[in-house]
Coordinates of all heavy atoms in Angstrom, one line a residue:
M126 N -62.2 -11.5 148.1 CA -62.3 -10.4 147.1 C -62.5 -11.1 145.7 O -61.8 -12.0 145.4 CB -61.1 -9.5 147.1 CG -61.1 -8.5 146.1 SD -61.9 -6.9 146.6 CE -60.8 -6.3 147.8
A127 N -63.4 -10.5 145.0 CA -63.7 -11.0 143.6 C -63.8 -9.8 142.7 O -64.5 -8.9 143.0 CB -64.9 -11.9 143.6
N128 N -63.0 -9.8 141.7 CA -63.2 -8.7 140.7 C -64.3 -9.2 139.7 O -64.2 -10.2 139.0 CB -61.9 -8.5 139.9 CG -62.0 -7.3 139.0 OD1 -62.3 -7.5 137.8 ND2 -61.7 -6.2 139.5
I129 N -65.4 -8.4 139.7 CA -66.5 -8.7 138.9 C -66.8 -7.7 137.9 O -66.7 -6.5 138.2 CB -67.8 -8.9 139.8 CG1 -67.6 -9.9 140.9 CG2 -69.0 -9.1 139.0 CD1 -67.5 -11.4 140.4
T130 N -67.1 -8.1 136.7 CA -67.4 -7.1 135.6 C -68.9 -7.1 135.5 O -69.6 -8.2 135.3 CB -66.8 -7.6 134.3 OG1 -65.4 -7.6 134.4 CG2 -67.2 -6.6 133.2
Y131 N -69.5 -5.9 135.5 CA -70.9 -5.7 135.3 C -71.1 -5.1 134.0 O -70.5 -4.0 133.7 CB -71.5 -4.7 136.4 CG -71.4 -5.3 137.8 CD1 -70.3 -5.2 138.6 CD2 -72.6 -5.8 138.4 CE1 -70.3 -5.6 139.9 CE2 -72.6 -6.3 139.7 CZ -71.4 -6.2 140.5 OH -71.4 -6.6 141.8
I132 N -71.9 -5.6 133.1 CA -72.2 -5.1 131.8 C -73.6 -4.6 131.7 O -74.6 -5.4 131.9 CB -71.9 -6.1 130.7 CG1 -70.4 -6.6 130.8 CG2 -72.2 -5.5 129.3 CD1 -70.1 -7.7 129.8
E133 N -73.8 -3.3 131.6 CA -75.2 -2.8 131.5 C -75.8 -3.2 130.2 O -75.1 -3.6 129.2 CB -75.1 -1.2 131.6 CG -74.4 -0.7 132.8 CD -75.4 -0.6 134.0 OE1 -76.6 -1.0 133.9 OE2 -75.0 0.0 135.0
A134 N -77.1 -3.1 130.1 CA -77.8 -3.4 128.9 C -77.4 -2.7 127.7 O -77.5 -3.1 126.5 CB -79.3 -3.3 129.1
D135 N -76.9 -1.4 127.9 CA -76.4 -0.6 126.7 C -75.0 -0.9 126.4 O -74.4 -0.3 125.5 CB -76.6 0.9 127.0 CG -75.6 1.4 128.1 OD1 -74.8 0.6 128.7 OD2 -75.7 2.6 128.5
G136 N -74.4 -1.9 127.0 CA -73.0 -2.3 126.7 C -71.9 -1.7 127.5 O -70.8 -2.2 127.4
T137 N -72.2 -0.7 128.3 CA -71.2 -0.1 129.1 C -70.8 -1.1 130.2 O -71.7 -1.8 130.7 CB -71.6 1.2 129.7 OG1 -72.8 1.1 130.5 CG2 -71.8 2.3 128.6
S138 N -69.6 -1.1 130.6 CA -69.2 -2.1 131.6 C -68.3 -1.4 132.7 O -67.8 -0.3 132.5 CB -68.4 -3.2 131.0 OG -67.1 -2.8 130.5
A139 N -68.3 -2.0 133.9 CA -67.5 -1.5 135.0 C -67.0 -2.7 135.8 O -67.7 -3.8 135.9 CB -68.4 -0.7 135.9
Q140 N -65.8 -2.6 136.2 CA -65.2 -3.7 137.1 C -65.3 -3.2 138.5 O -64.9 -2.1 138.8 CB -63.8 -4.0 136.7 CG -63.7 -4.7 135.3 CD -62.3 -5.3 135.0 OE1 -61.4 -4.9 135.7 NE2 -62.3 -6.1 134.1
V141 N -65.7 -4.1 139.4 CA -65.8 -3.8 140.8 C -65.1 -4.9 141.6 O -65.3 -6.1 141.4 CB -67.3 -3.7 141.2 CG1 -67.4 -3.4 142.7 CG2 -68.0 -2.6 140.5
N142 N -64.3 -4.5 142.6 CA -63.7 -5.4 143.5 C -64.7 -5.6 144.6 O -64.9 -4.7 145.4 CB -62.3 -4.9 144.0 CG -61.2 -5.0 143.0 OD1 -61.2 -6.0 142.2 ND2 -60.4 -4.0 142.9
V143 N -65.2 -6.8 144.7 CA -66.3 -7.1 145.7 C -65.7 -7.8 146.9 O -65.1 -8.9 146.7 CB -67.4 -7.9 145.0 CG1 -68.6 -8.1 146.0 CG2 -67.9 -7.3 143.7
P144 N -65.8 -7.2 148.0 CA -65.2 -7.9 149.2 C -65.9 -9.2 149.5 O -67.1 -9.3 149.3 CB -65.5 -6.9 150.4 CG -65.7 -5.5 149.7 CD -66.4 -5.9 148.4
D145 N -65.2 -10.1 150.1 CA -65.7 -11.4 150.4 C -67.0 -11.2 151.3 O -66.9 -10.4 152.3 CB -64.7 -12.3 151.2 CG -63.6 -12.8 150.3 OD1 -63.7 -12.6 149.1 OD2 -62.7 -13.5 150.8
G146 N -68.0 -11.9 151.0 CA -69.2 -11.9 151.8 C -70.2 -10.8 151.4 O -71.4 -10.9 151.8
W147 N -69.8 -9.9 150.6 CA -70.7 -8.9 150.0 C -71.5 -9.6 148.9 O -71.0 -10.5 148.2 CB -70.0 -7.7 149.4 CG -69.6 -6.7 150.4 CD1 -68.9 -6.9 151.6 CD2 -69.7 -5.3 150.2 NE1 -68.7 -5.7 152.1 CE2 -69.1 -4.7 151.3 CE3 -70.2 -4.5 149.2 CZ2 -69.1 -3.3 151.5 CZ3 -70.2 -3.1 149.3 CH2 -69.6 -2.5 150.5
S148 N -72.7 -9.2 148.7 CA -73.5 -9.7 147.6 C -73.1 -8.9 146.3 O -72.7 -7.7 146.5 CB -75.0 -9.7 147.8 OG -75.5 -8.4 147.7
L149 N -73.3 -9.5 145.2 CA -73.1 -8.7 144.0 C -74.1 -7.6 143.8 O -73.8 -6.6 143.1 CB -73.1 -9.7 142.7 CG -72.1 -10.8 142.7 CD1 -72.0 -11.4 141.3 CD2 -70.8 -10.4 143.3
M150 N -75.2 -7.7 144.4 CA -76.2 -6.6 144.4 C -75.6 -5.4 145.3 O -75.7 -4.3 144.9 CB -77.6 -7.0 145.0 CG -78.6 -5.9 145.0 SD -78.5 -4.8 146.5 CE -79.1 -5.9 147.8
Q151 N -75.2 -5.7 146.5 CA -74.6 -4.7 147.4 C -73.5 -3.9 146.7 O -73.4 -2.7 146.7 CB -74.0 -5.3 148.6 CG -75.0 -5.7 149.7 CD -74.2 -6.4 150.9 OE1 -73.7 -7.5 150.7 NE2 -74.1 -5.7 152.0
A152 N -72.6 -4.7 146.1 CA -71.5 -4.0 145.4 C -71.9 -3.2 144.3 O -71.3 -2.1 144.0 CB -70.5 -5.1 145.0
A153 N -72.9 -3.6 143.5 CA -73.4 -2.9 142.4 C -74.0 -1.5 142.9 O -73.7 -0.5 142.3 CB -74.4 -3.7 141.6
T154 N -74.9 -1.6 143.8 CA -75.6 -0.4 144.3 C -74.6 0.6 144.9 O -74.7 1.8 144.8 CB -76.7 -0.7 145.2 OG1 -76.3 -1.5 146.3 CG2 -77.8 -1.4 144.5
A155 N -73.6 0.0 145.6 CA -72.6 0.9 146.3 C -71.6 1.6 145.3 O -71.0 2.5 145.6 CB -71.7 0.1 147.3
N156 N -71.6 1.0 144.0 CA -70.7 1.5 143.0 C -71.4 2.2 141.8 O -70.8 2.3 140.8 CB -69.7 0.4 142.6 CG -68.7 0.1 143.6 OD1 -67.6 0.7 143.7 ND2 -69.0 -0.9 144.5
G157 N -72.7 2.5 142.0 CA -73.4 3.2 141.0 C -73.7 2.4 139.7 O -73.9 3.0 138.6
I158 N -73.8 1.1 139.8 CA -74.2 0.3 138.7 C -75.7 0.5 138.6 O -76.5 0.0 139.4 CB -73.8 -1.2 138.9 CG1 -72.3 -1.3 139.3 CG2 -74.2 -2.0 137.7 CD1 -71.4 -1.0 138.2
E159 N -76.1 1.1 137.5 CA -77.5 1.5 137.4 C -78.5 0.4 137.1 O -79.7 0.4 137.3 CB -77.7 2.7 136.4 CG -77.0 3.9 136.9 CD -77.2 5.1 135.9 OE1 -77.7 4.9 134.8 OE2 -76.8 6.2 136.3
G160 N -77.9 -0.7 136.5 CA -78.8 -1.8 136.0 C -79.3 -2.7 137.1 O -80.0 -3.6 136.8
I161 N -78.8 -2.5 138.3 CA -79.3 -3.3 139.4 C -79.9 -2.3 140.5 O -79.3 -1.3 140.9 CB -78.2 -4.1 140.1 CG1 -77.8 -5.2 139.2 CG2 -78.6 -4.6 141.5 CD1 -76.7 -6.1 139.7
L162 N -81.2 -2.6 140.8 CA -81.9 -1.7 141.8 C -81.8 -2.2 143.2 O -81.5 -1.4 144.1 CB -83.3 -1.6 141.3 CG -83.6 -1.0 139.9 CD1 -85.1 -0.9 139.6 CD2 -82.9 0.3 139.7
G163 N -82.1 -3.4 143.4 CA -82.0 -4.0 144.8 C -83.0 -3.3 145.8 O -82.6 -3.0 146.9
E164 N -84.2 -3.2 145.3 CA -85.2 -2.5 146.1 C -85.5 -3.1 147.5 O -85.9 -2.3 148.4 CB -86.5 -2.3 145.3 CG -86.3 -1.3 144.1 CD -87.6 -1.1 143.3 OE1 -88.5 -1.9 143.4 OE2 -87.6 -0.2 142.5
C165 N -85.4 -4.4 147.6 CA -85.8 -5.0 148.9 C -84.6 -5.0 149.8 O -84.7 -5.5 151.0 CB -86.4 -6.3 148.7 SG -85.2 -7.6 148.3
G166 N -83.4 -4.5 149.4 CA -82.3 -4.5 150.3 C -81.5 -5.9 150.4 O -80.7 -6.0 151.2
G167 N -82.0 -6.8 149.6 CA -81.2 -8.1 149.5 C -81.9 -9.2 150.2 O -81.3 -10.3 150.5
S168 N -83.2 -9.0 150.5 CA -83.9 -10.1 151.2 C -84.7 -11.0 150.3 O -85.6 -11.8 150.7 CB -84.9 -9.5 152.3 OG -85.7 -8.6 151.7
C169 N -84.3 -11.0 149.0 CA -84.9 -12.0 148.0 C -86.4 -11.8 147.9 O -87.1 -12.7 147.9 CB -84.5 -13.4 148.4 SG -84.6 -14.5 146.9
A170 N -86.8 -10.5 147.9 CA -88.3 -10.3 147.9 C -88.7 -9.3 146.8 O -89.9 -8.8 146.8 CB -88.7 -9.7 149.2
C171 N -87.8 -8.9 145.9 CA -88.2 -7.9 144.9 C -87.9 -8.2 143.4 O -88.5 -7.8 142.5 CB -87.6 -6.5 145.2 SG -85.8 -6.4 144.9
A172 N -86.9 -9.0 143.2 CA -86.4 -9.4 141.9 C -85.9 -8.3 141.1 O -85.9 -8.4 139.8 CB -87.5 -10.2 141.2
T173 N -85.5 -7.2 141.7 CA -84.9 -6.1 140.9 C -83.4 -6.1 140.9 O -82.8 -5.1 140.6 CB -85.4 -4.7 141.4 OG1 -84.9 -4.5 142.8 CG2 -86.9 -4.6 141.4
C174 N -82.8 -7.2 141.2 CA -81.4 -7.4 141.1 C -81.1 -8.5 140.1 O -80.0 -9.1 140.2 CB -80.8 -7.7 142.5 SG -81.4 -9.2 143.2
H175 N -82.0 -8.7 139.2 CA -81.8 -9.8 138.2 C -80.6 -9.6 137.4 O -80.3 -8.4 137.0 CB -83.1 -9.7 137.3 CG -83.1 -10.7 136.2 ND1 -83.9 -10.5 135.1 CD2 -82.6 -12.0 136.1 CE1 -83.7 -11.6 134.3 NE2 -82.9 -12.5 134.8
C176 N -79.9 -10.6 137.1 CA -78.7 -10.6 136.3 C -78.5 -11.9 135.6 O -79.1 -12.9 135.9 CB -77.4 -10.2 137.1 SG -76.9 -11.4 138.3
Y177 N -77.7 -11.8 134.5 CA -77.3 -13.0 133.7 C -75.9 -13.3 134.0 O -75.0 -12.5 133.7 CB -77.6 -12.8 132.3 CG -79.0 -12.4 131.9 CD1 -79.2 -11.1 131.3 CD2 -80.1 -13.2 132.1 CE1 -80.5 -10.7 131.0 CE2 -81.4 -12.8 131.8 CZ -81.6 -11.6 131.2 OH -82.8 -11.2 130.9
V178 N -75.6 -14.5 134.6 CA -74.2 -14.8 135.0 C -73.5 -15.5 133.8 O -74.1 -16.2 133.1 CB -74.1 -15.6 136.3 CG1 -74.8 -14.8 137.4 CG2 -74.8 -17.0 136.1
D179 N -72.2 -15.3 133.8 CA -71.4 -16.0 132.7 C -71.0 -17.4 133.1 O -71.4 -17.9 134.2 CB -70.1 -15.1 132.4 CG -69.1 -15.2 133.5 OD1 -69.4 -15.7 134.6 OD2 -68.0 -14.7 133.3
G180 N -70.3 -18.1 132.2 CA -70.0 -19.5 132.4 C -69.2 -19.7 133.6 O -69.4 -20.7 134.3
L181 N -68.2 -18.8 133.9 CA -67.4 -19.0 135.1 C -68.3 -19.0 136.3 O -68.2 -19.9 137.2 CB -66.4 -17.9 135.2 CG -65.4 -17.9 136.3 CD1 -64.1 -17.2 136.0 CD2 -65.9 -17.4 137.6
L182 N -69.2 -18.1 136.4 CA -70.0 -18.0 137.6 C -71.0 -19.2 137.7 O -71.2 -19.8 138.7 CB -70.8 -16.7 137.7 CG -69.9 -15.4 137.8 CD1 -70.7 -14.2 137.8 CD2 -69.1 -15.5 139.1
M183 N -71.5 -19.5 136.5 CA -72.4 -20.7 136.5 C -71.7 -21.9 137.0 O -72.3 -22.8 137.7 CB -72.8 -21.0 135.0 CG -73.8 -20.1 134.5 SD -75.5 -20.4 135.0 CE -76.0 -21.7 133.8
S184 N -70.4 -22.1 136.8 CA -69.7 -23.3 137.2 C -69.3 -23.3 138.6 O -69.1 -24.4 139.2 CB -68.4 -23.4 136.3 OG -67.5 -22.5 136.7
V185 N -69.3 -22.2 139.3 CA -68.9 -22.1 140.7 C -70.0 -21.8 141.7 O -69.8 -22.1 142.9 CB -67.7 -21.2 140.9 CG1 -66.5 -21.6 140.1 CG2 -68.1 -19.7 140.6
L186 N -71.1 -21.2 141.2 CA -72.1 -20.9 142.1 C -72.9 -22.1 142.6 O -73.2 -23.0 141.7 CB -73.1 -19.8 141.5 CG -72.5 -18.4 141.3 CD1 -73.5 -17.6 140.5 CD2 -72.2 -17.8 142.6
P187 N -73.4 -22.1 143.8 CA -74.3 -23.1 144.2 C -75.7 -22.9 143.5 O -75.9 -21.8 143.0 CB -74.5 -22.9 145.7 CG -74.0 -21.5 146.0 CD -73.0 -21.2 144.9
A188 N -76.4 -23.9 143.4 CA -77.8 -23.8 142.7 C -78.6 -22.8 143.5 O -78.5 -22.6 144.7 CB -78.4 -25.1 142.7
P189 N -79.5 -22.1 142.8 CA -80.4 -21.2 143.5 C -81.3 -21.9 144.5 O -81.7 -23.0 144.3 CB -81.3 -20.6 142.4 CG -80.8 -21.2 141.1 CD -79.8 -22.2 141.4
S190 N -81.6 -21.2 145.6 CA -82.5 -21.7 146.6 C -83.9 -21.7 146.0 O -84.2 -21.1 145.0 CB -82.5 -20.8 147.9 OG -83.0 -19.6 147.5
A191 N -84.8 -22.4 146.7 CA -86.2 -22.4 146.3 C -86.8 -21.0 146.3 O -87.6 -20.7 145.4 CB -87.0 -23.3 147.2
T192 N -86.4 -20.2 147.3 CA -86.9 -18.8 147.4 C -86.4 -18.0 146.2 O -87.2 -17.3 145.5 CB -86.4 -18.2 148.7 OG1 -86.9 -18.9 149.8 CG2 -87.0 -16.8 148.8
E193 N -85.1 -18.2 145.8 CA -84.6 -17.5 144.7 C -85.3 -17.9 143.4 O -85.7 -17.1 142.6 CB -83.1 -17.7 144.5 CG -82.5 -16.9 143.4 CD -81.0 -17.0 143.2 OE1 -80.3 -17.6 144.1 OE2 -80.4 -16.5 142.2
L194 N -85.5 -19.2 143.3 CA -86.2 -19.7 142.1 C -87.6 -19.1 142.0 O -88.1 -18.7 140.9 CB -86.3 -21.2 142.1 CG -85.0 -21.9 141.8 CD1 -85.1 -23.4 142.1 CD2 -84.5 -21.7 140.4
D195 N -88.3 -19.0 143.1 CA -89.7 -18.4 143.1 C -89.6 -17.0 142.7 O -90.4 -16.5 141.8 CB -90.3 -18.5 144.5 CG -90.8 -19.8 144.9 OD1 -90.9 -20.7 143.9 OD2 -91.1 -20.1 146.0
M196 N -88.6 -16.2 143.2 CA -88.5 -14.8 142.8 C -88.1 -14.7 141.3 O -88.5 -13.7 140.7 CB -87.5 -14.1 143.7 CG -88.0 -13.8 145.1 SD -89.7 -13.1 145.2 CE -89.4 -11.5 144.3
L197 N -87.3 -15.6 140.8 CA -86.9 -15.5 139.4 C -88.1 -15.6 138.5 O -88.1 -15.2 137.3 CB -85.9 -16.6 139.1 CG -84.5 -16.3 139.6 CD1 -83.6 -17.5 139.5 CD2 -83.8 -15.1 138.7
D198 N -89.2 -16.2 139.0 CA -90.5 -16.2 138.2 C -91.0 -14.8 138.0 O -91.9 -14.6 137.2 CB -91.6 -17.0 138.9 CG -91.3 -18.5 138.8 OD1 -90.5 -18.9 137.9 OD2 -91.8 -19.3 139.7
N199 N -90.6 -13.8 138.8 CA -91.1 -12.5 138.8 C -90.2 -11.4 138.2 O -90.5 -10.2 138.4 CB -91.5 -12.1 140.3 CG -92.5 -13.0 140.9 OD1 -93.5 -13.2 140.4 ND2 -92.1 -13.6 142.1
V200 N -89.2 -11.8 137.6 CA -88.3 -10.8 137.0 C -89.0 -10.1 135.8 O -89.8 -10.7 135.1 CB -86.9 -11.4 136.5 CG1 -86.1 -11.9 137.7 CG2 -87.1 -12.5 135.5
A201 N -88.6 -8.8 135.6 CA -89.3 -8.0 134.6 C -88.8 -8.3 133.2 O -89.6 -8.3 132.2 CB -89.1 -6.5 134.9
A202 N -87.5 -8.6 133.1 CA -87.0 -8.9 131.8 C -87.0 -10.4 131.5 O -87.4 -11.2 132.4 CB -85.5 -8.4 131.7
E203 N -86.6 -10.8 130.3 CA -86.6 -12.2 130.0 C -85.8 -13.1 131.0 O -84.7 -12.7 131.3 CB -85.9 -12.4 128.6 CG -85.8 -13.8 128.1 CD -84.9 -13.9 126.9 OE1 -84.3 -12.9 126.5 OE2 -84.8 -15.0 126.4
R204 N -86.4 -14.1 131.4 CA -85.7 -15.1 132.3 C -84.9 -16.1 131.4 O -85.5 -16.7 130.5 CB -86.6 -15.8 133.2 CG -85.9 -16.8 134.1 CD -86.9 -17.4 135.1 NE -86.2 -18.4 135.9 CZ -86.8 -19.2 136.8 NH1 -88.1 -19.0 137.0 NH2 -86.2 -20.1 137.5
R205 N -83.7 -16.3 131.7 CA -82.8 -17.2 130.9 C -82.3 -18.3 131.8 O -82.3 -18.1 133.1 CB -81.7 -16.4 130.2 CG -82.2 -15.3 129.3 CD -81.0 -14.5 128.8 NE -81.5 -13.4 128.0 CZ -80.7 -12.3 127.7 NH1 -79.4 -12.3 128.0 NH2 -81.2 -11.3 127.0
P206 N -81.7 -19.3 131.2 CA -81.1 -20.4 132.1 C -80.1 -19.9 133.0 O -79.9 -20.5 134.1 CB -80.5 -21.4 131.1 CG -81.3 -21.2 129.8 CD -81.7 -19.7 129.8
N207 N -79.4 -18.8 132.7 CA -78.3 -18.3 133.5 C -78.8 -17.1 134.4 O -78.0 -16.3 134.9 CB -77.1 -17.9 132.7 CG -77.4 -16.8 131.7 OD1 -78.5 -16.6 131.3 ND2 -76.3 -16.1 131.3
S208 N -80.1 -16.9 134.5 CA -80.7 -15.8 135.3 C -80.4 -16.1 136.8 O -80.7 -17.3 137.3 CB -82.2 -15.7 135.1 OG -82.5 -15.1 133.9
R209 N -80.0 -15.1 137.5 CA -79.8 -15.2 139.0 C -80.2 -13.9 139.6 O -80.3 -12.9 138.9 CB -78.4 -15.6 139.3 CG -77.9 -16.9 138.9 CD -78.6 -18.1 139.5 NE -78.5 -18.2 140.9 CZ -77.7 -19.0 141.6 NH1 -76.9 -19.8 140.9 NH2 -77.6 -19.0 142.9
L210 N -80.4 -13.9 140.9 CA -80.6 -12.7 141.7 C -79.3 -12.3 142.3 O -78.7 -13.1 143.1 CB -81.7 -12.9 142.7 CG -83.1 -13.2 142.1 CD1 -84.1 -13.3 143.2 CD2 -83.5 -12.1 141.1
A211 N -78.8 -11.1 142.0 CA -77.5 -10.7 142.4 C -77.4 -10.6 144.0 O -76.3 -10.7 144.5 CB -77.1 -9.4 141.8
C212 N -78.5 -10.4 144.6 CA -78.4 -10.3 146.1 C -78.2 -11.7 146.8 O -77.8 -11.7 147.9 CB -79.7 -9.7 146.7 SG -81.2 -10.7 146.6
Q213 N -78.3 -12.7 146.0 CA -78.1 -14.0 146.5 C -76.8 -14.6 146.2 O -76.5 -15.8 146.5 CB -79.2 -15.0 146.0 CG -80.6 -14.5 146.4 CD -80.8 -14.4 147.9 OE1 -80.7 -15.4 148.7 NE2 -81.1 -13.2 148.4
I214 N -76.0 -13.8 145.5 CA -74.6 -14.3 145.1 C -73.6 -13.6 146.0 O -73.4 -12.3 146.0 CB -74.3 -13.9 143.7 CG1 -75.4 -14.6 142.8 CG2 -72.9 -14.4 143.3 CD1 -75.2 -14.2 141.3
K215 N -73.0 -14.3 146.9 CA -72.0 -13.8 147.8 C -70.6 -13.9 147.2 O -70.2 -15.0 146.8 CB -72.0 -14.5 149.2 CG -73.4 -14.5 149.8 CD -73.8 -13.1 150.3 CE -75.1 -13.1 151.1 NZ -75.9 -12.0 150.8
A216 N -69.8 -12.8 147.3 CA -68.5 -12.8 146.7 C -67.5 -13.7 147.5 O -67.6 -13.8 148.8 CB -68.0 -11.4 146.7
S217 N -66.6 -14.3 146.8 CA -65.5 -15.0 147.3 C -64.5 -15.1 146.2 O -64.8 -14.8 145.1 CB -65.9 -16.5 147.8 OG -66.1 -17.3 146.7
A218 N -63.3 -15.6 146.6 CA -62.2 -15.7 145.5 C -62.6 -16.5 144.4 O -62.2 -16.3 143.2 CB -60.9 -16.2 146.2
A219 N -63.5 -17.5 144.6 CA -63.9 -18.4 143.5 C -64.6 -17.7 142.4 O -64.7 -18.2 141.3 CB -64.8 -19.5 144.1
L220 N -65.2 -16.5 142.7 CA -66.0 -15.8 141.7 C -65.1 -14.8 141.0 O -65.6 -14.1 140.0 CB -67.1 -15.0 142.4 CG -68.4 -15.7 142.7 CD1 -68.2 -17.0 143.5 CD2 -69.4 -14.8 143.4
D221 N -63.8 -14.7 141.3 CA -62.9 -13.7 140.7 C -62.9 -13.8 139.2 O -62.6 -15.0 138.7 CB -61.5 -13.8 141.3 CG -60.6 -12.7 140.9 OD1 -61.0 -11.5 141.0 OD2 -59.5 -13.0 140.5
G222 N -63.1 -12.7 138.5 CA -63.0 -12.7 137.1 C -64.4 -13.0 136.4 O -64.5 -13.0 135.2
G223 N -65.4 -13.1 137.2 CA -66.7 -13.4 136.7 C -67.4 -12.1 136.1 O -67.0 -11.0 136.4
T224 N -68.4 -12.4 135.3 CA -69.1 -11.3 134.6 C -70.6 -11.5 134.8 O -71.1 -12.6 134.6 CB -68.7 -11.2 133.1 OG1 -67.4 -10.9 132.9 CG2 -69.6 -10.2 132.4
V225 N -71.3 -10.4 135.1 CA -72.7 -10.4 135.1 C -73.2 -9.4 134.0 O -72.8 -8.3 134.0 CB -73.3 -10.1 136.5 CG1 -73.0 -11.2 137.4 CG2 -72.9 -8.8 137.0
Q226 N -74.2 -9.9 133.2 CA -74.8 -9.0 132.3 C -76.1 -8.6 132.9 O -76.8 -9.4 133.5 CB -75.1 -9.8 131.0 CG -75.8 -9.1 129.9 CD -74.8 -8.5 128.9 OE1 -73.8 -9.2 128.5 NE2 -75.1 -7.3 128.4
L227 N -76.5 -7.3 132.7 CA -77.7 -6.8 133.3 C -78.8 -6.7 132.3 O -78.5 -6.3 131.1 CB -77.4 -5.4 134.0 CG -76.2 -5.5 135.0 CD1 -75.9 -4.2 135.6 CD2 -76.4 -6.6 136.0
P228 N -80.0 -6.9 132.7 CA -81.1 -6.9 131.8 C -81.6 -5.5 131.4 O -81.2 -4.5 132.0 CB -82.2 -7.7 132.5 CG -81.9 -7.4 134.0 CD -80.4 -7.3 134.1
E229 N -82.4 -5.5 130.4 CA -83.0 -4.2 129.9 C -83.7 -3.4 130.9 O -83.7 -2.2 131.0 CB -83.9 -4.5 128.7 CG -83.2 -5.0 127.4 CD -82.6 -3.9 126.6 OE1 -83.0 -2.7 126.8 OE2 -81.8 -4.2 125.7
T230 N -84.4 -4.2 131.8 CA -85.3 -3.5 132.8 C -85.3 -4.4 134.0 O -85.2 -5.6 133.9 CB -86.7 -3.3 132.2 OG1 -87.5 -2.6 133.2 CG2 -87.4 -4.6 131.9
Q231 N -85.6 -3.7 135.2 CA -85.7 -4.5 136.4 C -87.1 -4.3 137.0 O -87.5 -4.9 138.0 CB -84.7 -3.9 137.5 CG -83.3 -4.2 137.1 CD -82.9 -5.7 137.4 OE1 -83.7 -6.5 137.6 NE2 -81.6 -5.9 137.3
E232 N -88.0 -3.5 136.3 CA -89.4 -3.3 136.9 C -90.3 -2.9 135.8 O -89.9 -2.6 134.7 CB -89.4 -2.3 138.0 CG -88.7 -1.0 137.6 CD -88.6 0.0 138.8 OE1 -88.9 -0.4 139.9 OE2 -88.2 1.1 138.6
Ligands
FES330 S1 -82.4 -7.1 146.1 FE1 -84.5 -7.8 146.2 S2 -84.5 -9.8 145.4 FE2 -82.4 -9.1 145.3

């Protein structure tokens, strides 16, 4: 379980307890986080789950796969060094306390 804070582009935030093994995209869509769409259902094929991860998450997450990097080329909003796809981030205790900022747009 990881307690993750999602911050929408308008500054509103929500904390979600994400079960181990769930992706941060799954948890967002299941909890009404509007800034993540997840249109492809998590198969790394739509880039509508773009998020900006904080320093804690940057330090514990494995590097993005080649597929994720390819899809990050297609995000609608500005791509930043801390851009990731939320469907490719699986929750575990190591992520507890992390924050993801959501972009202005996903499409
Ligand atoms: S949900 Fe489609 S790439 Fe993440």
Side-chain angles (χ1 to χ4, degrees):
M126 176 88 68
N128 185 267
I129 300 293
T130 300
Y131 295 82
I132 302 177
E133 302 275 7
D135 68 2
T137 58
S138 67
Q140 291 194 344
V141 176
N142 286 321
V143 186
D145 286 355
W147 279 46
S148 76
L149 300 197
M150 179 281 286
Q151 281 179 289
T154 56
N156 286 276
I158 307 293
E159 295 182 353
I161 288 184
L162 302 181
E164 288 178 348
C165 75
S168 54
C169 204
C171 71
T173 64
C174 62
H175 179 205
C176 64
Y177 305 114
V178 300
D179 71 350
L181 183 153
L182 295 177
M183 285 280 276
S184 71
V185 297
L186 289 174
S190 67
T192 304
E193 183 178 352
L194 287 172
D195 281 348
M196 287 310 299
L197 283 166
D198 287 340
N199 299 306
V200 295
E203 176 191 7
R204 181 177 175 179
R205 301 175 186 164
N207 61 338
S208 285
R209 297 295 299 259
L210 296 180
C212 71
Q213 300 302 299
I214 302 174
K215 302 294 188 217
S217 70
L220 277 53
D221 189 48
T224 296
V225 294
Q226 181 95 39
L227 307 181
E229 292 278 343
T230 183
Q231 293 285 10
E232 53 186 5

